[in-house]
Amino acid sequence: MTIRPTGALAGAFALTAALLGAGFIIGRADAQTPSVAPEIDAAYQAILGNPKIIKTLDDIKSDDDTALAEQKRITEIPAPPYKEKVRSEYFLKRMQELGFKDASIDSEGNVIALRKGSGGGRPKLVVSAHLDTVFPEGTDVSVKEKDGVILAPGIGDDARGLAALLSLIKCINANEVATVGDVMFVGTVGEEELGNLRGVKALFRDHPDIDGFISIDGLGITRVVNQATGSHRYEMTFKGPGGHSFQEFGLPSAIHAMGRAIAKIADLQTPSDPKTTFTVGTVKGGTSVNAIASEARMAVDMRSDSTQELLKLEARLLDLVKQAVVEENGRWNSDKMTVEIKLIGDRPAGIVAMDSPIVQATQRAVTVITRTPRVTFAGSSTDSNLAMSLGIPAVTIGGGGEGGNWHSRNEWYKPVDAYYGPQNALLTMLVLTGLDGVSKPALAVRQRK
């Protein structure tokens, strides 16, 4: 993960007595930090001067305990890769109970609810969280608590995002908050690992009129992802004749060929900026200690914040794997060793400029909610990758709270100021889509090709 601090906003000025009474203050940028466009500031002043929005923000805070209970329930519904159906059905049920009677599950498994605005369907903003986890079928996902810490696989990633999304929906519907643009709330499938972003790929395939995209993934809201770390993943299968280790000594070994490839890959040099990485993540092969392996397999992950650097790394790495096969054959004067190379993961890279309305809207929301100038902009691999690669404005924001040990069975969560997550999503959403009768949408209607 690459983090690129860009500075933040500092200072504060009062709005109205009602606004101050609610404890929300808008900060001004100082000379050392990127300024937020005047129209974004004006939109926040108008939105935060609206009593209905102040009440909605307060309701989200009051809903904090209920949202945490929802987070625990979601966590205990297994959602292994490609097997999110049960969790999808539960999430659909909750969407319908919160007012979206027409919510549905699409052909890929995404749960979708459309909340129409007054602007005739544009702009259209997606606010999403992902349904799947990294954990295989059979993993114990029971929630346990110890000394104020909640422990369970997936408790933060992304059960928190899903719970924050439901809390947001509950409070805006209860307060009849009306937007100008349409908002599509989505629980996506296939965000993790070999899911290969299949949920958002289907979403953008089926809905070409989407103008902006927000993913709630991760926890801390002072960290905003506006850069998509691209990745390519390969499975490489080495195949040879195999044989007895003594009687047929002299035949090429699939494991030896793979070992040569791994050694070459380990010596690769990559740039630190843009951050570009690689790893051989899994290996397996062979049938016996006294057999020349006829087959061996490894999975390789390559990542970069730059598409160009990712492609350069990919070309070098694939060439080294092929060289390793040639060398193994040459060592034994053979032509029997081969390698099959299969692309199993393709996540595109991308970036959203700092002066984009979606980045500035999120930047301002963070300073309003936390009353702190600390906003960190980062690169990561999330559902937003797909939108960014298509040139669609997108950010990934945190769901609120604190946690760690991601993608492990020891994942933990603490609900410290957890309500900040859905509050942040609310304000960002309203600036982008516009609050009916109060502000115009900051999100532009995208020209379709």
Side-chain angles (χ1 to χ4, degrees):
M1 180 180 296
T2 300
I3 295 179
R4 292 187 172 82
T6 63
L9 304 173
F13 64 89
L15 289 180
T16 62
L19 190 56
L20 285 170
F24 292 98
I25 300 173
I26 291 184
R28 290 188 187 275
D30 63 26
Q32 283 77 43
T33 62
S35 60
V36 171
E39 57 268 27
I40 299 292
D41 269 333
Y44 269 101
Q45 291 183 52
I47 290 167
L48 286 171
N50 186 282
K52 181 179 286 189
I53 302 309
I54 297 302
K55 183 176 183 302
T56 304
L57 288 163
D58 286 341
D59 286 353
I60 288 173
K61 183 175 181 178
S62 298
D63 192 54
D64 199 37
D65 289 342
T66 302
L68 179 60
E70 183 74 84
Q71 183 177 343
K72 295 175 185 177
R73 280 194 295 272
I74 292 171
T75 300
E76 292 188 328
I77 302 172
Y82 287 91
K83 294 183 179 180
E84 306 98 334
K85 185 174 185 292
V86 176
R87 186 178 284 190
S88 293
E89 290 173 344
Y90 174 78
F91 200 68
L92 172 65
K93 175 175 173 287
R94 292 295 295 124
M95 288 271 212
Q96 292 171 337
E97 290 172 347
L98 292 173
F100 291 118
K101 303 303 181 185
D102 295 331
S104 61
I105 298 177
D106 70 10
S107 60
E108 196 65 45
N110 299 312
V111 181
I112 299 176
L114 179 64
R115 194 174 194 271
K116 294 184 178 181
S118 62
R122 304 299 290 271
K124 179 179 284 186
L125 174 71
V126 171
V127 184
S128 71
H130 68 83
L131 292 156
D132 58 320
T133 71
V134 300
F135 304 100
E137 197 169 15
T139 300
D140 181 4
V141 291
S142 301
V143 173
K144 301 174 179 64
E145 297 188 45
K146 183 178 180 181
D147 300 327
V149 177
I150 304 168
L151 302 165
I155 184 68
D157 185 15
D158 195 23
R160 178 59 205 172
L162 294 166
L165 191 58
L166 291 176
S167 183
L168 169 63
I169 290 169
K170 176 182 178 180
C171 295
I172 63 172
N173 283 353
N175 286 285
E176 299 180 344
V177 174
T179 58
V180 178
D182 286 3
V183 182
M184 181 180 285
F185 295 104
V186 184
T188 65
V189 295
E191 191 276 341
E192 297 285 11
E193 293 196 324
L194 298 183
N196 203 26
L197 305 184
R198 63 187 178 90
V200 288
K201 287 177 180 178
L203 183 71
F204 284 99
R205 178 197 67 211
D206 297 341
H207 302 275
D209 58 343
I210 294 171
D211 298 303
F213 183 86
I214 294 173
S215 173
I216 305 176
D217 194 358
L219 300 179
I221 73 164
T222 59
R223 177 180 177 274
V224 176
V225 173
N226 71 316
Q227 183 161 353
T229 301
S231 69
H232 285 175
R233 292 167 176 168
Y234 281 90
E235 182 181 73
M236 300 170 178
T237 305
F238 299 82
K239 294 184 177 181
H244 192 280
S245 63
F246 188 76
Q247 300 295 337
E248 293 165 298
F249 181 73
L251 294 174
S253 165
I255 289 179
H256 291 186
M258 182 172 69
R260 293 177 189 273
I262 292 171
K264 291 177 180 293
I265 291 169
D267 286 336
L268 279 168
Q269 298 292 321
T270 56
S272 57
D273 186 18
K275 186 171 182 178
T276 304
T277 67
F278 59 86
T279 189
V280 178
T282 62
V283 296
K284 58 183 176 180
T287 57
S288 170
V289 68
N290 63 338
I292 299 168
S294 62
E295 184 172 307
R297 185 174 301 172
M298 67 182 186
V300 180
D301 176 90
M302 294 169 269
R303 299 188 182 211
S304 181
D305 288 332
S306 161
T307 297
Q308 183 180 5
E309 289 298 331
L310 180 60
L311 293 175
K312 285 166 60 177
L313 171 61
E314 178 183 59
R316 282 185 290 159
L317 190 146
L318 295 181
D319 185 59
L320 290 176
V321 170
K322 293 171 185 175
Q323 287 181 31
V325 171
V326 171
E327 290 177 9
E328 178 64 13
N329 274 328
R331 167 67 178 85
W332 306 105
N333 192 27
S334 171
D335 60 0
K336 302 298 184 183
M337 182 58 56
T338 62
V339 62
E340 295 176 359
I341 299 174
K342 179 182 178 183
L343 180 68
I344 57 173
D346 182 1
R347 294 174 176 240
I351 191 168
V352 180
M354 289 298 299
D355 61 358
S356 169
I358 197 167
V359 173
Q360 296 207 342
T362 309
Q363 178 182 358
R364 177 57 91 216
V366 170
T367 62
V368 170
I369 295 300
T370 65
R371 296 164 226 159
T372 174
R374 295 186 177 278
V375 182
T376 299
F377 293 92
S380 189
S381 180
T382 69
D383 270 341
S384 292
N385 280 45
L386 200 282
M388 292 181 193
S389 74
L390 296 172
I392 297 171
V395 289
T396 296
I397 61 177
E402 298 175 356
N405 294 341
W406 308 116
H407 291 192
S408 83
R409 288 172 170 79
N410 298 314
E411 190 171 337
W412 63 272
Y413 180 79
K414 292 178 70 175
V416 178
D417 296 328
Y419 59 90
Y420 281 0
Q423 284 185 338
N424 183 40
L426 169 69
L427 293 184
T428 304
M429 178 191 82
L430 291 178
V431 169
L432 293 172
T433 61
L435 181 60
D436 191 35
V438 175
S439 65
K440 296 180 180 180
L443 183 65
V445 173
R446 194 166 56 91
Q447 296 298 315
R448 286 190 283 172
K449 295 180 180 179

